[in-house]
Amino acid sequence: MNNESIPETSLSLEALKKGDRHELARMVDLYSDKIYRLALKFTNNPQDAEDVLQETFLKAMRALPEFEGRSSLSTWLYRIAVNESLMLLRKQKPDVSLDPPAEEEDSDEGTSSNDLILADWCCLPEDELLSEESRRFLNQAIQQLPATLRGVFVLRDLEGLSIKETAELLGLTETNVKTRLLRARLFLRQQLSLYFAERLKEWEQK
Amino acid sequence: MSDHLDCQQLLSSISDFVDGELNPELCRQIEQHLTECENCRIVINTLRKTIDLYQHQPGDEGLPQEIRHRLFHRLHLEEFLNRDPG
Ligand SMILES: [Zn+2]
């Protein structure tokens, strides 16, 4: 996992498993920032993200004595946080299935070349691409992704996990992850193309 | 299998292609197609740019203080709130 910035070895697993509160506090400070941001990307709601953050550490502290170290501590905490986020999304929208029926997996819906937007907006200057307004649009676009696709995109492209790690965290096959990633990326490319095609027109008229 | 990909075939491999996860033969066919097809060039470039924009979003401003406070209280670790979080 992409955790170079966090020196995991600086924590004593032995102390954590014994419930050493000073060490637990250090663990919380090492990982809370990453977990909060992950939950925020999943839920797009600061209150929900805070709930996920608290539940993740509550569960982790309860389960630590049984932690066997088969995965790294950070991967383990991530898995709890991902499950909490998905559970929360399920609760909020019980009608939205997180696991679409198998036949949907291979459908070409959204991945047909017929209705692609073909504006070439790559040439827009950085300050257009990176403006506050663009940022807001990027965030909105992620939230329009169905939860099944969002989880894959958040873990793979925003958190930089591998296909394999993403599959393990979400309990999917690697093929499923790749299919969903393709659909998520094409969906977002389409949304951004709609948006930046307009900026491109304005910019060319200047 | 024909040596010529159509646009729809390219699209179904585009995600693996930008990740560099395709076999060399399919890569070669895609690169060949791209020299001849302006539309697919645009799709690939804007797809790469899309991923790139998402990956380089600013973030990492740290956990807001009040959220850290509430978290430590919820976990009954409040006596450690004032230690240096660094
Ligand atoms: Zn083409």
Side-chain angles (χ1 to χ4, degrees):
Chain A
M1 190 164 295
N2 199 8
N3 272 338
E4 305 90 344
S5 53
I6 297 173
E8 188 149 339
T9 47
S10 77
L11 285 172
S12 160
L13 199 52
E14 205 180 333
L16 287 173
K17 291 180 69 153
K18 280 191 197 135
D20 179 309
R21 300 177 68 246
H22 183 262
E23 201 66 1
L24 287 169
R26 288 186 62 222
M27 175 184 83
V28 172
D29 270 332
L30 272 176
Y31 296 111
S32 54
D33 180 28
K34 260 179 103 66
I35 292 195
Y36 178 71
R37 277 185 292 123
L38 177 76
L40 201 50
K41 285 171 196 161
F42 263 92
T43 62
N44 195 36
N45 176 317
Q47 186 55 56
D48 290 343
E50 186 170 348
D51 288 346
V52 169
L53 175 71
Q54 295 186 353
E55 282 305 312
T56 298
F57 281 109
L58 279 173
K59 289 212 166 134
M61 282 165 68
R62 246 177 267 141
L64 256 172
E66 276 92 55
F67 177 66
E68 289 174 356
R70 270 196 295 261
S71 60
S72 70
L73 188 63
S74 57
T75 302
W76 184 70
L77 286 171
Y78 249 50
R79 182 169 298 134
I80 301 175
V82 166
N83 285 338
E84 286 298 317
S85 301
L86 292 177
M87 240 157 52
L88 194 126
L89 291 176
R90 267 193 204 108
K91 237 185 270 168
Q92 288 174 343
K93 294 184 189 159
D95 50 323
V96 175
S97 167
L98 295 172
D99 307 293
E103 66 263 27
E104 270 183 40
E105 283 291 304
D106 296 320
S107 90
D108 273 343
E109 183 219 338
T111 56
S112 161
S113 59
N114 298 326
D115 38 39
L116 291 170
I117 295 172
L118 294 167
D120 191 0
W121 46 270
C122 291
C123 56
L124 274 169
E126 290 270 294
D127 58 335
E128 285 281 353
L129 293 172
L130 305 176
S131 71
E132 277 285 305
E133 201 200 320
S134 303
R135 294 270 159 234
R136 269 200 301 278
F137 187 83
L138 260 70
N139 276 329
Q140 278 170 20
I142 291 194
Q143 300 311 317
Q144 286 167 26
L145 278 172
T148 51
L149 304 185
R150 196 194 310 159
V152 169
F153 183 78
V154 166
L155 292 175
R156 172 76 181 110
D157 280 341
L158 300 187
E159 296 295 317
L161 269 57
S162 69
I163 298 277
K164 188 162 178 280
E165 288 168 328
T166 305
E168 279 170 10
L169 275 179
L170 294 174
L172 297 169
T173 66
E174 290 184 38
T175 309
N176 272 340
V177 168
K178 286 186 177 186
T179 310
R180 291 180 190 196
L181 186 63
L182 171 70
R183 293 174 64 188
R185 285 170 164 181
L186 286 176
F187 174 86
L188 292 172
R189 190 210 71 91
Q190 188 84 341
Q191 298 300 308
L192 264 58
S193 294
L194 281 168
Y195 176 78
F196 284 123
E198 290 300 310
R199 305 285 86 72
L200 192 63
K201 268 189 230 154
E202 291 165 15
W203 183 65
E204 282 168 347
Q205 279 163 11
K206 273 184 198 168
Chain B
M1 183 173 159
S2 147
D3 201 38
H4 282 274
L5 283 178
D6 64 29
C7 299
Q8 185 61 51
Q9 286 171 313
L10 184 141
L11 201 62
S12 63
S13 304
I14 196 172
S15 189
D16 291 338
F17 180 73
V18 300
D19 282 344
E21 293 203 1
L22 279 189
N23 67 61
E25 173 56 20
L26 201 47
C27 266
R28 196 193 58 73
Q29 288 180 25
I30 286 181
E31 275 154 14
Q32 178 63 35
H33 180 101
L34 289 177
T35 63
E36 295 155 2
C37 181
E38 162 97 29
N39 285 357
C40 282
R41 269 207 304 278
I42 291 176
V43 172
I44 269 206
N45 288 339
T46 49
L47 184 74
R48 281 206 172 107
K49 196 78 187 173
T50 296
I51 298 168
D52 190 60
L53 283 177
Y54 274 108
Q55 283 175 343
H56 292 99
Q57 289 195 96
D60 221 347
E61 297 115 20
L63 193 68
Q65 269 309 313
E66 65 277 15
I67 295 182
R68 181 170 176 265
H69 264 256
R70 288 193 291 265
L71 177 62
F72 273 66
H73 278 276
R74 183 85 197 275
L75 303 173
H76 303 295
L77 292 170
E78 48 274 68
E79 73 217 67
F80 300 103
L81 260 172
N82 294 323
R83 54 172 281 278
D84 177 18

